[in-house]
């Protein structure tokens, strides 16, 4: 229950609102495998951002068919999971998914469509890493975004060996 809630919370921030690509309007739930271990993985993207989160499961989960959980169901499920410590049971069919939490049943249609192959956009052979203080990084982002009215403008990072320069180019 708690682990699935974390998975949804970490991925739902990237769910798309674009109705022309309806298959991006949810979280893609599927089984992944790494180092001989199975994971329940959730992925969401709005084509600008991509969020992914996984939780380790036993071998029984490998029979789960992949599905796209709609945005509204994701948010309802997060609310339900926040309010209880009961265990979560998930069952899938061709076009529906059923969640049982204690005596609550939530049944939802899944999004009809094919989620894009997100693994192609994630670099695999990057040998560079950057380690910064998360507090300093967040404070710097907040400082430069304070001049931006539109949160969609984004923050530009210029990274060198000695420092990171953050900037916002605001039309205002």
């Amino acid at each position: 229950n708690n682990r699935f809630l974390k998975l949804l919370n970490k991925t739902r921030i990237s769910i798309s609102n674009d109705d022309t690509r309806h298959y991006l309007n949810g979280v893609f739930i599927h089984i992944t495998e790494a180092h001989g271990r199975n994971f329940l993985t959730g992925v969401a993207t709005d084509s600008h951002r991509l969020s992914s989160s996984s939780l380790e499961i036993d071998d029984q989960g490998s029979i789960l068919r992949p599905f796209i959980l709609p945005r509204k169901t994701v948010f309802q499920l997060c609310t339900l999971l926040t309010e209880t410590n009961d265990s979560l049971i998930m069952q899938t069919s061709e076009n529906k998914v059923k969640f049982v939490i204690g005596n609550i049943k939530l049944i939802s249609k899944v999004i009809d469509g094919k989620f894009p192959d997100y693994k192609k956009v994630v670099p695999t052979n990057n040998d560079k890493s950057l380690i910064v203080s998360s507090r300093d990084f967040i404070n710097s982002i907040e400082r430069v975004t304070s001049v931006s009215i539109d949160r969609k403008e984004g923050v530009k990072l210029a990274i060198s060996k000695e420092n990171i320069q953050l900037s916002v180019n605001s039309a205002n």
Side-chain angles (χ1 to χ4, degrees):
N1 164 350
N2 229 352
R3 296 184 314 148
F4 192 64
L5 176 60
K6 281 182 185 167
L7 182 148
L8 293 178
N9 279 330
K10 287 179 181 177
T11 54
R12 71 183 188 171
I13 56 170
S14 297
I15 295 174
S16 176
N17 292 313
D18 182 0
D19 289 330
T20 60
R21 293 186 289 178
H22 67 282
Y23 51 86
L24 297 181
N25 292 345
V27 175
F28 179 47
I29 306 286
H30 59 297
I31 302 297
T32 54
E33 189 267 333
H35 313 295
R37 294 157 49 202
N38 288 323
F39 297 88
L40 182 66
T41 299
V43 179
T45 183
D46 59 9
S47 75
H48 297 289
R49 305 171 297 174
L50 185 137
S51 300
S52 171
S53 182
S54 298
L55 60 92
E56 190 169 356
I57 56 170
D58 59 28
D59 288 337
Q60 296 172 2
S62 56
I63 57 172
L64 182 85
R65 68 175 73 212
F67 63 93
I68 305 169
L69 193 60
R71 176 194 313 104
K72 192 171 181 182
T73 307
V74 169
F75 281 83
Q76 285 176 328
L77 201 50
C78 286
T79 301
L80 290 172
L81 291 172
T82 303
E83 296 169 351
T84 182
N85 285 324
D86 289 336
S87 61
L88 170 72
I89 298 166
M90 179 170 49
Q91 298 170 320
T92 59
S93 69
E94 194 70 42
N95 55 4
K96 288 191 178 113
V97 62
K98 174 178 166 184
F99 298 94
V100 180
I101 309 157
N103 60 0
I104 298 169
K105 289 185 181 84
L106 175 63
I107 299 169
S108 171
K109 279 187 172 179
V110 297
I111 292 176
D112 183 28
K114 182 157 174 34
F115 199 82
D117 185 1
Y118 65 94
K119 290 178 182 158
K120 286 184 178 168
V121 300
V122 179
T124 54
N125 55 358
N126 181 21
D127 62 347
K128 300 186 179 36
S129 68
L130 174 69
I131 300 169
V132 295
S133 156
S134 56
R135 185 183 299 128
D136 290 347
F137 191 61
I138 290 168
N139 288 342
S140 298
I141 289 172
E142 287 174 348
R143 197 171 311 121
V144 294
T145 55
S146 66
V147 299
S148 170
I149 292 170
D150 183 4
R151 288 282 185 195
K152 292 180 183 149
E153 288 172 334
V155 175
K156 181 179 176 184
L157 303 176
I159 301 170
S160 71
K161 281 191 174 180
E162 290 80 32
N163 62 31
I164 305 172
Q165 184 176 8
L166 293 86
S167 60
V168 171
N169 190 359
S170 177
N172 301 305

